[in-house]
Amino acid sequence: MVRLNSIVVAFGTFAPSVLAQTCATINPAQAPTFASGYSGRVVMNGLRTPRSLVFDNQGNLLAAEQGGYGVRYIQLTDNGGTDVCVKSNKQLIADSALNHGLALSPDGKKLYVSSSVSVWSYDYDGTTGTVSNKKTVIQGMTQSGHATRTLLVPKGRPDLLLVQRGSQDNSDTAAGQIGTARSQIRVFKVADIEKGTVEYSSGEVLAWGIRNTVAVGEDGKGGIVSLSRLNLL
């Protein structure tokens, strides 16, 4: 079986022209291919299986690293174009259970992270690169099979948190029953989950029958786009 995984191995900033660079050059592990008129460069390497990337309101980059690290806080130096490099970085959250999900509220004050079992919230300060007031907001996602729990706070609906849960196996016939709460994206009101921990099965069903969504995003009209990982036999 050939497996296609969406795994980030380098951070690239793209621009329609190549500018003079003052940041140090980091050679990529695999040479990338860019569309005509575009270029890119490696900004940082040595990460531990990064899975999700989020920019905060101060322009810092947060990375959820699946390889037992947690969440990293990265300050960047941006000289324009692709001339971008790391100014400093540090461990923001030390938690080996974190494996994929990362979402930031539009006001930049609330950070959500996930494990295969739970979703937590933190108060976040992008200026100092610190978190506090950890809360378990969603629980009840224990299962075998796909462990990623993708998160999204829609920009158009900052009062909501979307949480993805995959299938128990590559072939999960029981997920055909909506009550299993697997292979779904469910929606939670932020105000409700911040009051106390809720069960995943209590969320409103947004999508059903999606085996393993590794990314969730928004289109230009506020619609939700789901990207699933494929296994080719």
Side-chain angles (χ1 to χ4, degrees), residues 185-197:
I185 298 175
R186 294 207 174 211
V187 182
F188 300 84
K189 292 184 178 179
V190 169
D192 292 343
I193 62 177
E194 288 293 337
K195 291 178 182 177
T197 308

Side-chain angles (χ1 to χ4, degrees), residues 21-44:
Q21 296 178 347
T22 59
C23 290
T25 297
I26 302 174
N27 294 322
Q30 301 291 333
T33 300
F34 300 109
S36 177
Y38 285 81
S39 63
R41 67 195 304 268
V42 178
V43 174
M44 183 177 184

